[in-house]
């Protein structure tokens, strides 16, 4: 039971009995994410002070500019989690291949693999706008004590054991689920402790915010165009408010608290949309569903998609139940 001033550390221990297996391992894993989040938070907060802004001079495997903080966050999370036996494998949006952490002569008996978008919304760093980290945890499917293989990472989202995000915003929060609802913790920066601030978050069943990069309007499928016009009509509870930050974590976090819908459709230029199934859409979809919302690619539930590649992309529509259901009418 949550109690007053409960810290994330206490919450993890008190709730570990709810997992049916490997409880200690999962607790240690979430603890390590908590620590890495604090390290990255510290770095994000001083981004304006030190010469950490700008490009690192390399591109990630999708050919996008890598910011220095992307590199920093990637290294911070990988370092924190490849220690000891926190996980047996890691796949990151910033790395072409997954990493196997098999230990000396395959002594790593850990059950879990981690997938991560270390810094989400990185184009917002230079202008002091919220960014995030997204993580996703699965039980490996190959035998314990052997090197992990691609199949350990290419699992449908409904097999996630836990997922969550950190938002480095006006305050820093860690929000996660282990399949028993969604809880949010706010960092007290003075003492470096996360406190339970948002117990059992519920996605409002309906909302009045739509979030989409409308600059791409001309390239959207007709159904999405029609839905956007519907959002803007002066009928009943419309027009809705338009809010788009350009950090998936921040856009979903706001909509989950206030009620809303997020759209990142396929376009003529990117036929699978932009967002990555494994590092962004699956973990966010698990959180969204656990809070009572919906997440779809327009044809099927995000969490039911069978992944075929580590860096695959998917169209993404997610939010309040009623709003996603309305959108589906337009998509046909
Ligand atoms: P990342 O910074 O990890 O590459 O992710 C950026 C993503 C996501 O956070 C955001 O919602 C989306 O890109 C914004 O894309 P547009 O600039 O095309 O709207
Ligand atoms: Mn991202
Ligand atoms: Mn990223």
């Amino acid at each position: 039971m949550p109690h007053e001033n409960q810290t994330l550390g206490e919450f993890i221990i008190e709730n570990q009995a709810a997992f049916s297996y490997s409880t200690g391992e999962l607790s240690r894993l979430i603890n390590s994410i908590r620590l890495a989040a604090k390290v990255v938070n510290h770095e994000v907060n001083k981004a304006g002070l030190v010469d950490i802004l700008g490009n690192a001079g390399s591109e990630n495997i999708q050919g996008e500019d890598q910011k220095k903080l992307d590199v920093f966050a990637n290294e911070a999370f990988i370092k924190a989690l490849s220690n000891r036996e926190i996980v047996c494998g890691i796949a990151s949006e910033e790395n072409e291949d997954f990493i196997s952490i098999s230990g000396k002569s395959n002594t790593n008996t850990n059950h879990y693999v981690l997938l991560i978008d270390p810094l989400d919304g990185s184009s917002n760093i230079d202008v002091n706008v919220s960014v995030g980290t997204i993580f996703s945890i699965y039980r490996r499917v190959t035998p314990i004590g052997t090197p992990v293989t691609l199949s350990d990472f290419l699992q449908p989202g409904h097999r996630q054991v836990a997922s969550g995000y950190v938002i480095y915003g006006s305050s820093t929060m860690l929000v996660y689920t282990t399949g028993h609802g969604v809880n949010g913790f706010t960092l007290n920066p003075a003492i470096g402790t996360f406190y339970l601030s948002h117990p059992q978050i519920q996605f409002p069943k309906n909302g009045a915010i739509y979030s989409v990069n409308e600059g791409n309007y001309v390239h959207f499928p007709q159904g999405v165009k029609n839905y956007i016009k519907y959002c803007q009509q002066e009928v009943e509870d419309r027009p809705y408010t338009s809010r788009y930050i350009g950090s998936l974590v921040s856009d979903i976090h706001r909509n989950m608290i206030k009620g809303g819908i997020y759209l990142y459709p396929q376009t003529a230029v990117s036929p699978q949309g932009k967002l990555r199934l494994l590092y962004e859409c699956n973990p966010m979809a698990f959180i969204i569903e656990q809070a009572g919302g919906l997440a779809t690619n327009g044809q099927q539930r995000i969490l039911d998609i069978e992944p075929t590649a580590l860096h695959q992309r998917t169209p993404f529509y997610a939010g309040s139940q009623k709003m996603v259901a309305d959108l589906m009418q337009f998509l046909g």
Side-chain angles (χ1 to χ4, degrees):
M1 282 303 281
H3 56 74
E4 217 180 324
N5 293 335
Q6 188 168 31
T7 67
L8 175 54
E10 291 167 351
F11 183 91
I12 291 170
I13 293 166
E14 283 176 30
N15 288 277
Q16 73 173 7
F19 315 128
S20 36
Y21 38 65
S22 318
T23 59
E25 277 181 25
L26 190 57
S27 297
R28 267 192 295 143
L29 176 41
I30 294 168
N31 259 318
S32 301
I33 290 172
R34 173 184 69 149
L35 286 173
K38 284 197 253 185
V39 172
V40 172
N41 177 62
H42 183 70
E43 207 64 17
V44 167
N45 280 336
K46 62 178 196 193
L49 293 172
V50 293
D51 180 30
I52 199 158
L53 296 176
N55 296 341
S58 56
E59 291 187 339
N60 69 11
I61 82 124
Q62 280 117 9
E64 297 153 345
D65 280 344
Q66 254 187 339
K67 301 285 181 184
K68 282 184 185 173
L69 265 172
D70 290 44
V71 178
F72 180 90
N74 192 38
E75 285 170 359
F77 276 94
I78 290 177
K79 203 168 139 200
L81 294 162
S82 46
N83 270 332
R84 292 161 284 146
E85 293 188 3
I86 302 291
V87 290
C88 54
I90 301 176
S92 164
E93 180 194 88
E94 299 296 338
N95 299 351
E96 180 163 2
D97 267 324
F98 62 84
I99 303 169
S100 174
I101 306 162
S102 35
K104 286 194 197 95
S105 51
N106 294 326
T107 46
N108 188 345
T109 55
N110 190 282
H111 293 81
Y112 295 107
V113 295
L114 176 88
L115 294 95
I116 191 158
D117 177 356
L119 203 72
D120 173 65
S122 44
S123 66
N124 281 322
I125 274 283
D126 294 7
V127 290
N128 214 343
V129 170
S130 303
V131 293
T133 295
I134 310 173
F135 62 90
S136 167
I137 299 167
Y138 294 86
R139 244 175 113 82
R140 65 181 301 173
V141 292
T142 52
I144 307 296
T146 62
V148 288
T149 69
L150 191 56
S151 60
D152 292 311
F153 297 93
L154 298 187
Q155 303 190 49
H158 63 77
R159 295 235 196 95
Q160 286 171 106
V161 174
S163 80
Y165 60 83
V166 185
I167 176 166
Y168 313 98
S170 46
S171 55
T172 293
M173 286 187 69
L174 194 155
V175 176
Y176 79 103
T177 183
T178 54
H180 304 274
V182 180
N183 291 285
F185 301 81
T186 303
L187 181 66
N188 177 343
I191 51 175
T193 303
F194 282 102
Y195 288 96
L196 179 61
S197 52
H198 296 63
Q200 290 296 329
I201 300 175
Q202 294 295 318
F203 216 120
K205 295 289 171 238
N206 198 3
I209 297 173
Y210 73 103
S211 310
V212 61
N213 185 343
E214 239 168 303
N216 294 329
Y217 185 88
V218 287
H219 300 298
F220 288 160
Q222 193 55 44
V224 174
K225 288 183 178 170
N226 295 344
Y227 178 72
I228 291 173
K229 286 294 157 222
Y230 165 89
C231 293
Q232 298 169 340
Q233 261 170 9
E234 196 166 15
V235 186
E236 294 157 5
D237 58 343
R238 289 167 279 137
Y240 296 147
T241 294
S242 165
R243 287 284 182 275
Y244 189 74
I245 295 170
S247 296
L248 178 70
V249 164
S250 315
D251 281 305
I252 297 288
H253 182 73
R254 178 202 53 242
N255 289 0
M256 187 161 71
I257 288 175
K258 297 196 163 178
I261 186 168
Y262 178 94
L263 306 95
Y264 210 112
Q266 65 273 44
T267 64
V269 210
S270 8
Q272 290 308 315
K274 176 184 184 190
L275 299 178
R276 297 89 170 166
L277 176 62
L278 297 181
Y279 314 109
E280 294 174 318
C281 301
N282 271 338
M284 295 312 274
F286 190 24
I287 293 259
I288 289 164
E289 285 198 4
Q290 281 293 315
L294 293 174
T296 167
N297 67 0
Q299 264 145 15
Q300 79 183 120
R301 182 181 173 225
I302 290 291
L303 296 181
D304 283 340
I305 299 174
E306 290 284 344
T308 54
L310 268 184
H311 296 282
Q312 100 186 52
R313 297 170 193 259
T314 176
F316 189 59
Y317 306 100
S320 294
Q321 269 183 27
K322 162 84 167 58
M323 297 181 89
V324 176
D326 287 345
L327 167 72
M328 292 309 285
Q329 300 285 321
F330 285 88
L331 298 185

